[in-house]
Amino acid sequence: MYLNKVFLDHHLDHPTHVRIVYEHVDFLMLIDIHDEKAWPYRVNLDEFESLSLEAVPDPILLATPEAGSKAEEIRDRAYRSVALLLTDYFALFDKKLRNQKIKSVLEATDESRLYVTRQLRRYWQRGLSPDALAPDYTKCGAPGQNRLAIRKTGSKRTVSHGEGLAITDEIASLFKLAIEGFYLVNNDVDLKGARTKANGFIRSKYPKIKKEDLPTYRQFRYYYNKHYAKPLVVQARTPSIEYAKDVTPSHSTSTTNNFGPGARYEIDATIADLHLVSGHDPDRIVGRPIVYKVKDVFSRMTVGLYVGLENPSWATASIALAHAFCDKVEYCRKFGVEITESDWPSIGTPATITADRGELLGKHGDILVNRFGITLSNTRAYRGDDKGIVEKSFHMMHVDILPYVKGKVEPVNGKKKAGKRTELSANLTLYDFTKMVIISEINRNTSTPLEGYDFESDMPADLAAIPVRLWHWGVKNRTGVLREVDPKFTHVNMLPHSKATISPSGICFKGMYYTCAEAVELGWFHKNRSVPRPKSIEVAYDPLNTNVLYVRPDNKFDSVWECTLQSRSRRYQDMSLVEAMSIQSEARSTYSEAQQEADYQAPDLQNELEMIAQVAEKRQKSSDLSNSSQRLSGIRNNRQQEKESERQKNRESAKPPKKKEAATVTSIHSGKQVEQGFDYPDLDDF
């Protein structure tokens, strides 16, 4: 129990460390580990225990030499000489027997007696193992101390002229200034550029320095490698936000602190890498769609979606959350995808939602906290890795869909491929793309295993890392935090809200008119102003569906009037709000263009009318008019004569022109023919 242990002996004049090199029933053999001429000496066991020496950690730390190194060669040579002595280990503690064994080793090898005795002493003093004989190269040199030379060290130059410049403290300070003030703070500068900057500093300080005395790039690189560790350089040259997000090592995963389904949802949006066309007019390109995803951290399941053309905001984020809280069967059916509730089982509100700061502010954030009891967690600025699960899922969505579609954004410059605009090849509508996203997410939820999922210790080995299976297992075996909600009222309250005006034509929202039974009963649409009606009212609208509008008559959660689109706005039926706004914008543009044309032609019309009026005025002045009483009394007769004159003109203009040769007509009727007149009839006959 004492062999190879080190003790501190305080009984000597100078406290020293001793090592137990041999242990017997009655005695121990000890050696001073610091005395270069020490040999083992005997101490009875009772005497050793009575000394009460202090056991201390071994002060000699052994290092195993690298394979094939010079240190390994030196260690093996020394151990070969010592190994011959260790065949009869106990005899080494008797001086006479030890000398005899050393003599036999000298005869068998070419080593000197001093070398063999030194290696044996090292073997005992340093730990009774082959590595005890390895050289201590780590103690060579002067660690932490800079060596300053008056003249440049190293081999002499054979190609370039001059002897070079020694790196003194002054030159080193200029190197440091160039590295820290120019290289580390500018990611576009390489090490050669930093050396050029350092040479500029040297020339400014020493204007008469010769060109052959400037420090070489090798000297500068040596100083850099010696004084600047690679990890610190990377951290210094990388922006702090980018370093924290993309460079610094990760020590845990998102699943670690999320114990089950619904513990935490992550929500984020992206712009899809393809262009769409209008579902009502394939000639109209509507641009790139926005995709919102809500992901459950524990199971990695996509629990909510929004695919549309609205810009990322709290309004569109709330639609994705409403979808995450409610049943998905009816939503998928709208796009021709039939599923069961077990295929997409995520229903209910979670405990926590993590989102970008701007997306959960305002009224909807209050509803989430106060009505549903959800804790909101905002990510740090420019730290997409705070919700890395949902961020990664966007890439997987593009991997699934982009190989099969046209109009996708090319990575070269985002617009052209082979000289053509990629938008022109777009052929998917918003309906088509939404259906593709739904199919992709259902497949990943129910079939695709997750790579690198970190299982907890209590999760069974036969549980596949498929999101829907992880979800079902978590709901069954972990503490549930999901809470059921009313689908209709949750959907309406999570929709974006705005103001609508009321007039006899109906409830006007974004240029579209709606009606509902409650408003008709209250007489809001009566033309009689004696019936009171509000000028405006708060409404909830679905950006994906213009057919329905929800009136919020008060601030109660379950107070909702459902309105339908009137026939006067049938042009916008079955559209998304963006498509309707696009048509309205195009219609306004068309009207404005037509109005400009009308305004341009209006002066010509005005001139023509004025000329006609002037001609009539001149003609009237040149005529011989009777007195006023005669003119007024003859209006009825004058009207009749003018009417007969107009009728005669119409009869003459209605007669067919005379033909040069009349065709021979043979009557197929027998008997008396009735003569018919073909004169133009009077209008009074009707």
Side-chain angles (χ1 to χ4, degrees):
M1 59 184 295
Y2 291 116
L3 184 63
N4 202 31
K5 289 187 176 181
V6 178
F7 293 87
L8 182 61
D9 189 355
H10 295 281
H11 299 85
L12 302 176
D13 294 338
H14 300 285
T16 184
H17 291 88
V18 294
R19 185 186 300 277
I20 310 299
V21 296
Y22 183 77
E23 182 178 8
H24 193 265
V25 177
D26 298 326
F27 64 90
L28 303 173
M29 298 300 297
L30 285 70
I31 189 172
D32 187 339
I33 66 174
H34 299 302
D35 189 355
E36 296 181 355
K37 298 181 179 180
W39 288 106
Y41 58 92
R42 176 172 173 164
V43 177
N44 291 333
L45 185 59
D46 295 339
E47 181 184 357
F48 178 81
E49 293 179 349
S50 65
L51 292 175
S52 301
L53 300 183
E54 178 186 357
V56 295
D58 197 332
I60 298 177
L61 301 178
L62 302 179
T64 302
E66 295 183 4
S69 64
K70 182 66 175 178
E72 184 186 48
E73 181 182 342
I74 295 174
R75 181 201 66 183
D76 294 345
R77 173 194 169 191
Y79 188 69
R80 282 194 297 270
S81 63
V82 172
L84 297 175
L85 300 174
L86 299 179
T87 55
D88 188 2
Y89 187 68
F90 182 71
L92 295 175
F93 301 113
D94 183 87
K95 182 177 180 180
K96 183 177 180 180
L97 296 177
R98 181 171 64 242
N99 289 334
Q100 292 177 358
K101 292 182 70 64
I102 292 175
K103 185 177 180 181
S104 63
V105 170
L106 297 178
E107 294 175 353
T109 63
D110 296 333
E111 307 293 353
S112 65
R113 179 181 179 83
L114 181 61
Y115 177 80
V116 174
T117 55
R118 281 182 175 176
Q119 301 310 319
L120 178 60
R121 186 180 291 113
R122 280 170 58 85
Y123 178 80
W124 279 330
Q125 291 178 327
R126 291 168 56 85
L128 308 178
S129 67
D131 284 345
L133 303 175
D136 292 332
Y137 284 156
T138 56
K139 296 182 180 179
C140 296
Q145 301 180 15
N146 293 323
R147 296 183 177 182
L148 301 178
I150 299 176
R151 302 183 61 183
K152 180 181 178 297
T153 59
S155 58
K156 294 184 178 181
R157 297 178 178 178
T158 59
V159 178
S160 57
H161 300 287
E163 296 182 357
L165 182 69
I167 307 303
T168 61
D169 285 342
E170 205 166 24
I171 300 298
S173 65
L174 297 178
F175 281 2
K176 181 179 180 181
L177 181 61
I179 292 172
E180 296 183 0
F182 187 61
Y183 176 72
L184 296 183
V185 299
N186 193 339
N187 209 29
D188 296 327
V189 177
D190 59 6
L191 200 59
K192 289 185 177 180
R195 179 241 178 177
T196 302
K197 179 66 70 173
N199 284 346
F201 293 154
I202 294 173
R203 290 184 58 186
S204 298
K205 190 173 184 63
Y206 305 103
K208 297 182 179 181
I209 190 172
K210 299 179 180 179
K211 59 182 178 181
E212 57 266 21
D213 290 337
L214 289 175
T216 64
Y217 176 67
R218 187 173 181 179
Q219 287 178 299
F220 185 79
R221 186 179 60 189
Y222 175 82
Y223 176 86
Y224 167 75
N225 291 333
K226 180 180 179 182
H227 293 86
Y228 295 91
K230 294 293 184 183
L232 297 180
V233 171
V234 172
Q235 183 175 359
R237 302 197 76 194
T238 307
S240 58
I241 294 175
E242 181 181 345
Y243 180 83
K245 180 171 67 74
D246 299 329
V247 180
T248 188
S250 300
H251 302 289
S252 184
T253 63
S254 300
T255 314
T256 303
N257 298 321
N258 296 282
F259 50 84
R264 180 179 296 274
Y265 283 176
E266 293 179 357
I267 180 172
D268 199 14
T270 191
I271 304 175
D273 293 338
L274 79 163
H275 297 273
L276 303 180
V277 297
S278 172
H280 298 272
D281 184 3
D283 188 53
R284 297 171 61 240
I285 302 172
V286 298
R288 298 166 63 180
I290 305 298
V291 180
Y292 259 100
K293 281 190 183 183
V294 185
K295 299 283 286 188
D296 175 58
V297 174
F298 174 80
S299 66
R300 307 293 200 271
M301 177 184 287
T302 300
V303 296
L305 277 177
Y306 166 81
V307 183
L309 301 175
E310 295 286 344
N311 291 327
S313 64
W314 58 265
T316 44
S318 62
I319 298 175
L321 289 174
H323 179 252
F325 299 162
C326 303
D327 186 18
K328 318 297 188 298
V329 176
E330 185 59 33
Y331 173 77
C332 294
R333 187 176 292 121
K334 292 179 181 178
F335 296 93
V337 181
E338 293 293 336
I339 64 170
T340 62
E341 186 176 324
S342 60
D343 294 330
W344 207 337
S346 54
I347 301 175
T349 59
T352 305
I353 295 176
T354 299
D356 292 332
R357 175 173 174 79
E359 291 174 339
L360 294 182
L361 296 178
K363 175 179 178 179
H364 289 73
D366 295 339
I367 291 176
L368 292 174
V369 174
N370 301 325
R371 178 69 187 187
F372 298 118
I374 299 174
T375 301
L376 301 184
S377 174
N378 294 319
T379 58
R380 294 168 288 181
Y382 305 101
R383 290 300 300 272
D385 55 322
D386 285 350
K387 42 182 172 51
I389 292 175
V390 68
E391 293 276 3
K392 179 66 176 177
S393 69
F394 291 125
H395 169 71
M396 304 312 298
M397 176 192 71
H398 286 131
V399 169
D400 288 345
I401 296 176
L402 292 187
Y404 310 104
V405 301
K406 294 183 179 180
K408 52 182 174 286
V409 177
E410 297 297 332
V412 178
N413 58 12
K415 293 202 173 181
K416 291 186 178 181
K417 182 180 181 183
K420 297 181 180 179
R421 297 277 297 201
T422 57
E423 298 96 319
L424 298 176
S425 61
N427 55 13
L428 286 181
T429 65
L430 181 61
Y431 178 91
D432 299 330
F433 179 67
T434 304
K435 185 174 182 179
M436 295 181 78
V437 173
I438 291 174
I439 293 174
S440 171
E441 296 304 322
I442 291 176
N443 177 69
R444 290 197 171 272
N445 282 350
T446 59
S447 303
T448 307
L450 302 168
E451 294 183 6
Y453 183 83
D454 52 328
F455 288 89
E456 295 285 353
S457 58
D458 63 334
M459 301 177 77
D462 60 349
L463 176 61
I466 297 175
V468 70
R469 299 188 187 182
L470 294 171
W471 178 280
H472 286 305
W473 183 90
V475 170
K476 182 178 179 182
N477 296 278
R478 294 290 178 88
T479 303
V481 294
L482 292 166
R483 288 160 289 180
E484 292 187 4
V485 293
D486 184 279
K488 177 183 177 181
F489 294 128
T490 299
H491 174 73
V492 173
N493 280 274
M494 294 302 296
L495 289 176
H497 286 55
S498 184
K499 292 289 185 179
T501 59
I502 302 174
S503 70
S505 299
I507 300 174
C508 182
F509 176 72
K510 304 290 186 182
M512 297 174 286
Y513 287 89
Y514 295 83
T515 184
C516 64
E518 292 84 355
V520 171
E521 185 178 352
L522 291 175
W524 283 2
F525 308 143
H526 287 182
K527 296 180 180 179
N528 190 336
R529 293 183 177 273
S530 62
V531 179
R533 62 168 174 260
K535 293 183 178 180
S536 64
I537 193 168
E538 187 173 20
V539 295
Y541 62 95
D542 187 348
L544 298 178
N545 184 12
T546 57
N547 296 342
V548 181
L549 189 72
Y550 302 97
V551 172
R552 308 306 307 276
D554 49 44
N555 293 325
K556 295 181 180 179
F557 180 81
D558 54 355
S559 182
V560 177
W561 297 351
E562 185 172 334
C563 303
T564 57
L565 192 68
Q566 286 190 5
S567 59
R568 68 167 57 232
S569 300
R570 60 189 180 278
R571 182 180 191 180
Y572 310 110
Q573 193 168 4
D574 299 327
M575 289 186 181
S576 67
L577 187 61
V578 172
E579 288 179 307
M581 297 297 99
S582 176
I583 291 176
Q584 289 182 358
S585 176
E586 189 172 348
R588 286 193 296 268
S589 177
T590 302
Y591 175 81
S592 176
E593 185 177 349
Q595 186 62 47
Q596 287 179 346
E597 181 67 21
D599 293 341
Y600 182 79
Q601 295 180 1
D604 297 337
L605 172 63
Q606 190 179 55
N607 291 335
E608 189 173 356
L609 296 176
E610 288 177 351
M611 289 179 62
I612 295 173
Q614 290 172 2
V615 170
E617 186 176 359
K618 289 180 180 179
R619 183 181 62 242
Q620 193 74 357
K621 288 182 178 180
S622 63
S623 301
D624 187 12
L625 303 178
S626 58
N627 58 41
S628 299
S629 60
Q630 291 177 346
R631 295 184 65 193
L632 292 174
S633 62
I635 291 178
R636 183 182 299 273
N637 293 331
N638 296 338
R639 177 182 178 86
Q640 186 64 30
Q641 292 176 6
E642 192 70 20
K643 185 165 56 174
E644 288 296 333
S645 176
E646 287 297 318
R647 287 175 178 176
Q648 186 60 35
K649 290 180 182 180
N650 290 336
R651 293 189 192 100
E652 292 177 358
S653 62
K655 290 181 180 180
K658 296 182 179 180
K659 297 182 180 180
K660 294 181 179 181
E661 295 181 1
T664 303
V665 179
T666 303
S667 177
I668 61 174
H669 298 283
S670 59
K672 187 179 180 180
Q673 299 293 326
V674 179
E675 294 185 0
Q676 297 181 1
F678 294 95
D679 292 340
Y680 192 82
D682 291 339
L683 293 181
D684 294 340
D685 297 338
F686 298 97

